[in-house]
Structures are given as structure tokens and as C-alpha cells.
């Protein structure tokens, strides 16, 4: 459980719980935190980053338990509109409770506490991976709360800068040490809760030592600084003490008696501030001088500037002053503190007036209450956390950014970042894109990595030292973003803006460049032509579906790719169905050109349009691409299975049943591509058989796969079932099955006879794919029977007789070239392969796999 008895799952905004379900599947997602502008947009853009240690230790580095989830679920059950169930990622919460010891599964990098930063410099970077990618910003709510201590620390430091400037003009060098006590924290009572006072008060103590906020003083000393004191205060009266006595004179004398040997303060405006200065102060002067301490006069009403000047002049009249080495008056044993409604602006007015009156700045102190700890908000420095990068599950990375046209000040940065000290700017922190950074160590360090990280937090003294050092040497403004990052931001902005404004489906920026050459071109001499591969010169118009289909029939995949993209560009954006159909043509062309990575990138961009209703063929291609493009066959299997389940929900439709069959075969094929996938493939095969037990094609296919995997007993069992299902004894399916069984048993003569009966190349039967396959296998039998020349003759006759169907078959060309390798060598082998290359080139379309030539 979290603080205050809250379930840890509820330390977030409500809508955070609904995001994981709609976040894209991803390998990794990254978000970052920044301050979007300086404190109240000051010209001095320096800001202080502070407070993350408390947030991490109090709210993040705590192990979740099942109780956290159970209590969260009880709450979410009635949290949606109408007191219905609100969605939340219960399964992910339970998963990391079990697998990660309950720690929230993100990695947090951050600048060291007390670091001085500028607008847009990443102060934190949050990364989530794999199934937890959708939780990357779940902790945003609590992480953003660092805005509060950071803003207080910055405000306090800017006040210090103003006071320091007055000190440099009017205070002797041996008295500069008093600067640390010039701004006192009076804000405890102005806070909404003790926790706020502790965090804000600690932030103030990074710069000044004066504080009446005991919660912060104790927290800093004992929790952050090993017991070493940081904060100090002095005895002081309040109005209740002054009015409880019979007169203000008695009240002041009592303070002198108790505390007169040290420093003490008296509020002097309980009744009449001017009269108290004129009458009470002289009346206690002799006793005060006897004690020898320092009396601090505190006004609490009236004009802030005038009240201070009145106090200084009265103290000078009563106690006297000395002129220091800088020519300014220093009161003897007295000073004035102004704590009524002080802001950085009024503080400056008071300092200007004090120096103008000839007094040293050490004669006046300041107190801030609500102005220090309460009158600020997240917009004071506009802290924000935004997603900046995502790597989708198919491995495609994408840098993202926010750029609201109606709020350009909220534009974010794209990418993953590192931050480095820039020597050219006295060490100012500058943000770079990862991969484009200098060789120096990044200032972003891991502070939480799926659990607490030891040794990453500094003592409070160290944090103060860091702030003092950096604030003193860093310029008021700096170039905090590298030129590369700014260029990248513009590039990403332009891409995203085009997608938003121009309509994603017919946007030219979606397309990848396609070369007009392929590997087969590169193998041919310049004089040879490929008539079936000639690409039209004009792709500036829309093309009919008839022509696109002709390109498919002729395997003119480059022509299809270019014609479909041209037609997409000419199709109006509102014709979504037509555009999606054209994208199917485009993707089919790229896949047949084996440009799988390009197809994957294009479809990923297409997905960003958020348009539903993709055609089945396009979805099927998309599902296979992780394996084809990135060898991630597990993801391909997952996506193919998801498509299968979608079809299964409509299995009453014959079209959906046919699609299921295709998808299941593709899934089985994908399983066979992964190590150890044979068992899963067999399991899917058996499941397929249950739904198609009476289909001889399915049973035969399953038997052949079992045969390939060495499961002979099961294969023979299934072949027997096919024999029972098929009545005709000379059926091609039965003959081919028998031939494959003979091959598996090494009975090559029997297999040759069976393949020959199916091939029937006499010309009396129409040629189809089964006969070509049988002829190819017949030729292989000749090879295994020791007749490579017979194999070559047979394959050459087949390919010359059927140049379009058999002559461009990669499998037949591969087997033919294998026979050449076994039968010839030297120049004769080279000449034979060159001849075959020329023959194939005449008839082959795009995308022919030149590895078939075994060059």
C-alpha cells in the first residue's frame, strides 16, 4: 500500500488507467520531462531541478502487492460514468507483481538534484519495454509533482540573485556570509499540508539557511543530510505575544531579558508602527545596549518599502550606524526584516530603496510565506512530461512530438535524449539526440530501474554545493538544444504536420523509394532486354484496376508498385475504400519485390492515420511482415493468429472459413521458421485436421508436412485416410502422395514411375502446377538414380516447352543449376549458367531470386 493507505495503483489520474489498452503494441516507449519556460518567463532562464528523490522513494520505489490491485479493482468497479466499471490494466499490474517483485516496470533517468537547467532540457527520461510499453506515462502524475520543489528552489534562487547583486554593491567582503540568512521561510502556515511544507521548505534551504518551517528543517537535517544541520532561525514575537503584555514596551523588554544577548525579532505594528518606532524603541534602548545583542524590527503592514525605510531610520536614530568600506551605512546591533507579502518584485523595490537611502543591504532581511511556498503552480515553469519515442513491435522506431497549432509553447521534443555539459557555455546542460551526442558522459543518470537503485542520491550538502557551483558559473540564458536536435524536431514536425493536414492515405510522404533495377538486371549484359519487365515511363496518372491486374499476371511488380502509388496520389482522400484497395496492390508489389522492410515502414505509417476497414489481403500481408522484414516470426505468428480468431468469429461465412484455412497454413509455415517450432506446427496441423477431416487436400497437405518433419507413422496414417476419401485410383493427389512416400523410403524407381504418371508430358493432358511439380520431382529422381544428364535434359525440355510457367520457376532453375554444378565445371559450367540466365530473363518478371542460379 502507498502513503495515506492509498493503493499504489491509484497514484495516477483516472484516465491513465485506460491508456494501456489502447497503446500500440511496442518493443519500447520513451517519455521525458522538461520545463517549457523559465520562472514566470523571466529573462534569466536558469531553473533548479529538485525533489525527485522524495517522489521516487515515497511513491515509486515501493513494491506493489495483490492487495493494491484488489483494492484498486474494487474502486474502479464503480468509477466509470454511471458508476460502472472503469478499465484498468489489471493483468499488467499482476504480471509485474509476480515477475518483478512488485516494482513498477519502468526505467527512470534524471539529472542530479540541484542541477541548473534551461527551458526544454530533459530533466527526466522514462522508458518502458515490451508489454509494459503502454505504462510509460502511468507515473506521470507523481513524477510531475517535482514541479513544486523545483519551482520553490528556483524562486528562492532568483531571490538570492537579486539580494546578491545588492550585496556586491553595498556589503563588505568580510560580511558576505550574512547573505545566506537574508531570505527566511515563513511559509509553513501558508501550505495546504505538512508534506507540502516539507518539500517546499527543503527546496528553499538549497539556497538560504533561514527557515521557520520546522517540518522542512528536520526532514533536511535527518533524512537528507546525515544529521548535519542546515536550517536556522531566531526567537521572535508574534502579535499574540505583543498584545498579551500590558504594553509593547513590556513585551520588547521581556524579549531583551530572555534573548537579548543574541539575535531576536519583535513585530512592531500591533497598534501603531510609527509610534512604536518613535516611542517604544528609545524606551528600551538602554537595556538593549546593555545586553549587546541584535534587535530585528519587523513591520507587518502598510507600504512595504516605506515600512522598511522607517525602521532603518528609527534604528539609526536610536542605536547609530557606521559607514562600511563601500560607503554604505550599517546599523549598530539592529536590522529590519520585511515579511509582509514579499515577492521577488517587491523584494527588488525594497533593496533599491534601501541602497538609495544609503543603507547597506545587510541591514535588511526578508521573509516569504505564501509567496514562497504557495503562490506558485505548475504553469510557473510549465513542467510537462510527453511521449517522445516509440519502437513498434515489428521493430520500426518512430520519434514523436506534440505541436498544437493553437499552443505552440507546448511543442515537445522528439526522440531519446542525452544531456551533456557544454564547455563553450561554461558547462551549461545541452540536450542531444541519442546517437548524435558528444563522447562525454550524459548528465542523465539511472535513478530507478524496475526497482530501487542504490547510491544514486546525494546528501543535501552535496546538492547545495552543486547548485552553488552551477548557478555561479552558468549564464542566465544558453543554447540548450543541440542544432541536430532542433533540425530533427523540425523534420519530425514537418512529417507529422503533413500527415495531419493532407490526409494520411494519399500522402506522398508515406512512400518508400523504389529502385528501377533488380539483381537480375545486374547479372545481365547491357545488350540483353527483359520485355516483361519494361516499366512505363509515365507514372503521373491514375491507372485502372484492369491494368493493375495485368501487371500482377505478368509479375511486373515494379510497374504495379509505381502505378498503384500514382493512382493513390490521384485518388481523393475521402475515398477510403478505394485507397485501401490500392494500398493492397502497392504492398503486394513490394512483397513480391522482396522489399519487405520498405513495405513494413509504409504500412506502419499508414496505420498512423487510424483508418479502420483494411481489406483482408492487406491485413494478411501486414501480419506476415514482422517475419519477412525483421525475422520476428513470433510476432508474425501472433498477428496471423489474431486475424484467424477474427475470422473464426464469423465462421458461418464460407469466405471467412476459406480465409481461416489460408491463415492457418501461413501460421504453420511461420512456425516452421522458428527454432523449436515444429511441435507447434504439428499442433496447429492437428487442430486444422479436426475442422477439415473430410477434405482430402487438407489431409494430404498435413501428411506431407508430417513426412517432411520425419513423423513417418503419422504421415502414413494420414495418407491412408486420403486413400479412403478419394475414390479414383489414378487421382493425381493419390499418385503424388504415393510418390512422396516412396521418396521418403528411398524407393527411387517406384517414385520415378509414379511422378512420371502424373507429369504425363506427352502433350495429351493440359499442363498445370501439379504436372510441373511432378516433372520437377521426376527429374530429381533421375539425379538420385545417378543420371544427372537425364535430369538436365528433362528440366531443360520442361522449361523450354513452358517458358512462362516452368522456365521462370525459381525451384526448377535451382534444381537445373544444381545439376549443372554436378555435371560440369570451368568454362562449360559458366557458359551453361549464362545461357540459362538469358533464357530466364526473357520471361521472368520482377523479383526473381537470383540465388536460384547458384552463382
Amino acid at each position: 500500500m502507498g502513503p495515506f493507505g492509498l493503493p499504489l495503483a491509484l497514484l495516477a489520474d483516472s484516465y491513465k488507467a485506460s491508456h494501456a489498452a489502447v497503446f500500440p503494441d511496442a518493443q519500447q516507449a520513451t517519455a521525458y520531462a522538461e520545463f517549457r519556460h523559465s520562472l514566470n518567463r523571466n529573462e534569466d532562464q536558469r531553473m533548479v531541478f529538485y525533489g525527485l528523490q522524495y517522489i521516487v522513494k515515497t511513491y515509486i520505489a515501493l513494491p506493489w502487492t495483490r492487495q493494491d490491485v484488489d483494492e484498486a479493482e474494487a474502486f474502479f468497479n464503480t468509477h466509470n460514468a454511471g458508476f460502472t466499471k472503469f478499465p484498468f490494466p489489471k493483468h499488467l499490474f499482476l504480471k509485474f507483481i509476480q515477475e518483478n517483485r512488485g516494482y513498477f516496470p519502468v526505467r527512470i533517468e534524471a539529472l542530479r538534484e540541484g542541477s541548473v537547467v534551461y527551458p526544454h532540457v530533459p530533466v527526466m527520461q522514462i522508458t518502458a519495454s515490451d508489454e509494459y510499453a503502454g505504462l510509460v506515462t502511468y507515473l506521470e502524475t507523481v513524477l510531475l509533482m517535482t514541479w513544486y520543489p523545483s519551482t520553490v528552489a528556483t524562486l528562492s534562487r532568483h531571490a538570492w540573485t537579486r539580494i546578491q547583486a545588492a550585496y556586491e554593491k553595498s556589503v563588505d567582503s568580510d560580511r558576505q556570509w550574512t547573505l545566506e540568512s537574508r531570505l527566511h521561510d515563513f511559509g509553513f502556515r501558508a501550505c495546504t499540508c505538512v508534506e507540502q511544507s516539507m518539500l517546499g521548505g527543503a527546496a528553499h534551504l538549497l539556497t538560504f539557511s533561514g527557515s521557520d518551517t520546522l517540518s522542512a528543517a528536520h526532514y533536511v537535517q535527518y533524512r537528507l543530510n546525515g544529521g548535519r544541520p542546515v536550517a536556522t532561525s531566531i526567537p521572535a514575537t508574534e502579535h499574540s505575544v505583543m498584545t498579551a503584555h500590558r504594553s509593547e514596551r513590556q513585551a520588547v523588554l521581556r524579549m531583551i531579558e530572555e534573548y537579548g544577548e543574541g539575535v531576536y525579532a519583535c513585530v512592531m505594528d500591533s497598534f501603531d508602527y510609527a509610534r512604536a518606532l518613535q516611542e517604544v524603541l528609545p524606551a528600551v534602548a538602554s537595556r538593549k545596549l546593555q545586553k549587546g545583542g541584535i534587535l530585528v524590527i519587523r513591520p507587518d503592514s502598510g507600504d512595504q518599502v516605506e515600512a522598511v525605510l522607517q525602521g532603518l531610520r528609527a534604528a539609526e536614530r536610536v542605536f547609530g550606524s557606521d559607514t562600511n568600506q563601500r560607503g554604505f551605512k550599517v546599523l549598530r546591533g539592529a536590522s529590519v526584516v520585511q515579511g509582509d507579502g514579499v515577492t521577488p518584485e517587491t523584494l527588488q523595490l525594497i533593496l533599491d530603496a534601501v541602497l538609495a537611502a544609503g543603507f547597506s543591504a545587510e541591514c535588511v532581511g526578508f521573509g516569504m510565506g505564501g509567496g514562497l511556498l504557495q503562490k506558485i503552480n505548475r504553469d510557473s515553469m510549465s513542467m510537462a512530461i510527453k511521449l517522445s519515442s516509440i519502437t513498434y513491435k515489428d521493430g520500426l522506431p518512430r520519434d514523436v512530438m506534440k505541436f498544437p497549432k493553437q499552443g505552440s509553447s507546448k511543442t515537445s521534443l522528439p526522440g531519446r535524449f542525452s544531456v551533456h555539459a557544454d564547455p563553450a557555455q561554461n558547462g551549461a546542460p545541452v540536450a542531444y539526440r541519442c546517437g548524435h551526442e558528444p563522447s562525454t558522459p550524459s548528465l542523465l543518470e539511472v535513478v530507478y530501474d524496475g526497482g530501487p537503485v542504490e547510491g544514486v542520491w546525494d546528501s543535501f550538502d552535496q546538492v547545495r554545493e552543486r547548485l552553488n557551483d552551477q548557478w555561479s558559473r552558468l549564464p542566465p540564458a544558453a543554447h540548450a538544444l543541440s542544432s541536430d536536435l532542433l533540425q530533427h524536431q523540425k523534420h519530425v514536425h514537418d512529417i507529422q504536420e503533413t500527415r495531419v493536414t493532407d490526409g494520411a492515405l494519399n500522402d506522398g510522404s508515406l512512400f518508400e523509394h523504389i529502385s528501377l533495377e533488380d539483381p537480375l538486371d545486374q547479372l545481365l549484359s547491357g545488350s540483353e532486354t527483359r520485355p516483361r519487365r519494361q516499366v512505363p515511363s509515365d507514372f503521373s496518372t491514375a491507372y485502372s484496376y484492369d491494368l493493375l491486374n495485368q501487371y500482377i499476371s505478368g509479375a511486373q511488380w515494379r510497374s504495379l508498385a509505381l502505378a498503384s502509388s500514382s493512382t493513390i496520389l490521384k485518388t481523393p482522400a475521402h475515398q477510403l475504400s478505394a485507397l485501401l484497395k490500392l494500398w493492397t496492390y502497392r504492398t503486394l508489389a513490394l512483397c513480391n519485390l522482396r522489399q519487405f522492410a520498405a513495405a513494413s515502414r509504409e504500412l506502419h505509417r499508414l496505420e498512423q492515420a487510424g483508418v479502420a476497414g483494411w481489406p483482408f489481403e492487406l491485413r494478411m500481408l501486414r501480419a506476415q511482415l514482422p517475419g519477412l522484414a525483421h525475422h520476428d516470426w513470433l510476432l508474425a505468428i501472433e498477428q496471423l493468429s489474431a486475424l484467424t480468431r477474427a475470422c473464426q468469429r464469423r465462421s458461418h461465412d464460407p469466405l471467412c472459413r476459406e480465409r481461416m484455412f489460408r491463415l492457418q497454413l501461413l501460421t504453420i509455415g511461420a512456425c516452421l521458421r522458428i527454432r523449436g517450432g515444429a511441435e507447434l506446427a504439428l499442433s496447429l496441423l492437428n487442430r486444422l485436421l479436426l475442422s477439415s477431416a473430410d477434405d482430402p487436400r487438407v489431409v494430404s497437405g498435413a501428411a506431407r508436412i508430417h513426412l517432411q518433419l520425419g513423423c513417418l507413422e503419422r504421415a502414413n496414417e494420414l495418407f491412408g485416410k486420403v486413400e479412403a476419401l478419394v475414390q479414383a485410383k489414378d487421382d493425381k493427389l493419390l499418385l503424388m502422395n504415393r510418390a512422396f512416400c516412396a521418396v521418403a523410403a528411398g524407393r527411387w524407381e517406384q517414385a520415378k514411375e509414379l511422378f512420371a504418371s502424373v507429369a504425363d508430358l506427352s502433350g495429351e493432358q493440359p499442363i498445370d502446377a501439379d504436372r510441373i511439380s511432378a516433372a520437377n520431382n521426376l527429374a530429381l529422381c533421375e539425379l538420385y538414380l545417378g543420371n544427372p544428364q537425364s535430369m538436365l535434359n528433362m528440366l531443360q525440355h520442361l522449361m523450354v516447352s513452358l517458358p512462362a510457367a516452368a522456365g521462370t520457376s525459381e525451384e526448377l532453375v535451382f534444381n537445373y543449376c544444381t545439376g549443372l554444378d554436378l555435371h560440369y565445371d570451368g568454362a562449360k559450367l559458366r557458359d551453361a549458367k549464362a545461357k540459362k540466365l538469358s533464357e530466364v530473363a526473357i520471361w521472368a518478371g520482377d523479383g526473381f531470386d537470383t540465388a536460384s542460379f547458384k552463382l
Side-chain angles (χ1 to χ4, degrees), residues 285-308:
S286 60
R287 188 57 179 152
K288 185 268 176 199
L289 292 172
Q290 289 174 0
K291 284 285 189 174
I294 298 175
L295 168 62
V296 181
I297 299 166
R298 181 166 73 91
D300 198 35
S301 57
D303 181 273
Q304 294 170 317
V305 175
E306 185 58 32
V308 170

Side-chain angles (χ1 to χ4, degrees), residues 752-774:
K752 174 182 171 181
E753 181 181 341
L754 289 166
F755 283 131
S757 63
V758 176
D760 189 14
L761 299 178
S762 62
E764 298 178 3
Q765 298 290 337
I767 298 297
D768 58 19
D770 286 336
R771 296 191 187 282
I772 293 174
S773 174

Side-chain angles (χ1 to χ4, degrees), residues 26 35 66 82 109 124 128 149 194 238 268 272 323 374 411 430 439 465 531 558 573-574 599 602 612 616 772 774 803:
F35 300 107
R66 182 62 189 250
E109 301 164 86
M124 279 186 276
V194 172
E238 62 178 19
M268 302 293 285
D272 185 336
T323 300
Q374 185 64 19
T411 298
V430 176
S439 58
E465 289 172 8
R558 273 179 178 72
H574 66 275
E602 287 192 355
F616 172 77
I772 293 174

Side-chain angles (χ1 to χ4, degrees), residues 115-333:
S115 293
V116 176
V117 298
Y118 299 91
H120 303 300
V121 171
V123 296
M124 279 186 276
Q125 187 162 248
I126 309 104
T127 303
S129 301
D130 301 322
E131 65 267 51
Y132 300 119
L135 299 179
V136 64
T137 58
Y138 197 87
L139 300 178
E140 175 184 3
T141 309
V142 291
L143 286 173
L144 267 182
M145 290 178 181
T146 53
W147 76 261
Y148 176 68
S150 295
T151 305
V152 173
T154 302
L155 189 156
S156 187
R157 197 70 190 188
H158 277 293
W160 179 88
T161 300
R162 294 173 185 267
I163 300 172
Q164 183 197 35
Y167 256 57
E168 289 178 352
K169 292 179 183 179
S170 66
V171 179
D172 287 346
S173 57
D174 62 348
R175 296 287 297 170
Q176 290 287 325
W177 62 270
T178 60
L179 172 59
E180 189 178 89
S181 65
R182 292 303 94 180
L183 181 62
H184 205 85
D185 174 8
F186 288 166
F188 200 164
R189 66 185 62 189
C191 294
T192 60
C193 62
V194 172
E195 186 181 33
Q196 181 189 1
S197 73
M198 189 171 67
L199 284 175
H204 167 75
L205 290 171
L206 286 175
T207 296
F208 293 99
S209 61
S211 177
D212 261 31
T213 303
L214 290 175
S215 57
H218 184 275
Y219 167 68
V220 166
Q221 181 171 339
Y222 291 101
R223 299 293 181 86
L224 303 181
N225 211 39
R228 296 182 298 277
V230 175
T232 63
S233 186
I234 61 172
T237 66
E238 62 178 19
H239 290 294
S240 63
V241 173
M242 301 300 289
T243 57
H245 285 272
R246 296 181 183 274
S247 68
E248 286 180 297
R249 175 178 172 276
Q250 289 183 359
V252 176
L253 285 172
R254 184 63 180 269
M255 286 293 290
I256 292 172
E257 292 302 324
E258 290 293 327
Y259 311 116
E261 294 178 356
V263 183
Y264 54 98
C266 292
V267 62
M268 302 293 285
D269 73 330
S270 297
F271 307 107
D272 185 336
Y273 179 61
R275 182 180 176 184
L277 293 177
Q278 186 176 355
E279 298 180 3
V280 175
L281 207 57
V284 300
S286 60
R287 188 57 179 152
K288 185 268 176 199
L289 292 172
Q290 289 174 0
K291 284 285 189 174
I294 298 175
L295 168 62
V296 181
I297 299 166
R298 181 166 73 91
D300 198 35
S301 57
D303 181 273
Q304 294 170 317
V305 175
E306 185 58 32
V308 170
L309 293 177
Q310 284 180 280
L312 292 174
R313 289 166 182 152
E316 184 183 23
R317 284 195 306 268
V318 175
F319 305 116
S321 66
D322 297 302
T323 300
N324 66 13
Q325 295 176 7
R326 302 190 185 223
F328 288 86
K329 293 183 287 186
V330 179
L331 296 176
R332 296 174 185 164

Side-chain angles (χ1 to χ4, degrees), residues 68 177 212 252 261 382 425 452 666 691:
D68 284 297
W177 62 270
D212 261 31
V252 176
E261 294 178 356
S382 192
Q425 301 185 87
L666 287 171
S691 60

Side-chain angles (χ1 to χ4, degrees), residues 454-658:
E454 296 298 325
V456 296
W457 306 112
D458 297 317
S459 70
F460 198 77
D461 283 342
Q462 291 172 316
V463 176
R464 293 189 89 195
E465 289 172 8
R466 177 176 299 111
L467 174 56
N468 286 332
D469 168 61
Q470 294 186 8
W471 195 274
S472 65
R473 60 182 169 82
L474 297 188
H479 299 290
L481 302 180
S482 69
S483 57
D484 171 78
L485 180 53
L486 289 172
Q487 291 173 4
H488 183 60
Q489 183 188 43
K490 183 179 185 305
H491 173 70
V492 174
H493 172 273
D494 291 345
I495 291 175
Q496 293 187 177
E497 185 175 45
T498 301
R499 291 175 186 166
V500 170
T501 58
D502 292 350
L505 298 192
N506 63 353
D507 178 2
S509 68
L510 298 175
F511 298 116
E512 294 280 315
H513 172 72
I514 297 176
S515 171
L516 294 180
E517 292 188 352
D518 73 353
L520 190 51
D521 285 326
Q522 296 168 4
L523 294 176
L524 295 170
S525 65
S527 61
E528 294 172 294
T529 60
R530 298 176 61 191
R532 296 192 64 183
R533 229 198 125 263
Q534 291 180 354
V535 177
S537 58
D538 181 21
F539 279 104
S540 60
T541 185
Y543 289 78
S544 67
Y545 289 120
D546 287 341
L547 184 55
L548 297 180
N549 290 328
Q550 287 179 31
Y551 288 146
I552 294 176
S553 301
Q556 292 174 268
W557 300 115
R558 273 179 178 72
S559 295
L560 178 63
L562 295 169
S564 57
S565 62
S566 175
T567 309
I568 286 170
L569 293 173
K570 297 295 182 181
T571 302
H574 66 275
Q575 296 183 11
L576 297 180
S577 296
L579 286 166
L580 288 169
K581 183 176 181 180
L582 290 166
W583 271 105
T584 305
Y585 281 103
R586 168 76 178 183
T587 307
L588 179 67
L590 292 182
C591 288
N592 277 280
L593 291 169
R594 292 182 174 81
Q595 296 195 17
F596 302 119
S600 179
R601 289 191 293 269
E602 287 192 355
L603 288 191
H604 173 67
R605 296 182 192 123
L606 196 66
E607 285 179 330
Q608 303 312 300
V611 177
W614 283 30
F616 172 77
E617 298 295 335
L618 186 57
R619 287 192 291 162
M620 188 168 66
L621 289 169
R622 180 72 180 99
Q624 297 173 76
L625 280 174
L628 296 170
H630 309 291
H631 306 292
D632 189 350
W633 289 105
L634 287 175
L635 178 56
I637 291 167
E638 181 181 324
Q639 294 186 355
L640 287 167
S641 300
L643 264 182
T644 304
R645 290 192 296 271
C647 291
Q648 198 168 23
R649 289 192 288 269
R650 301 177 58 190
S651 57
H652 60 279
D653 184 344
L655 178 60
C656 284
R657 288 200 298 274
E658 188 271 334

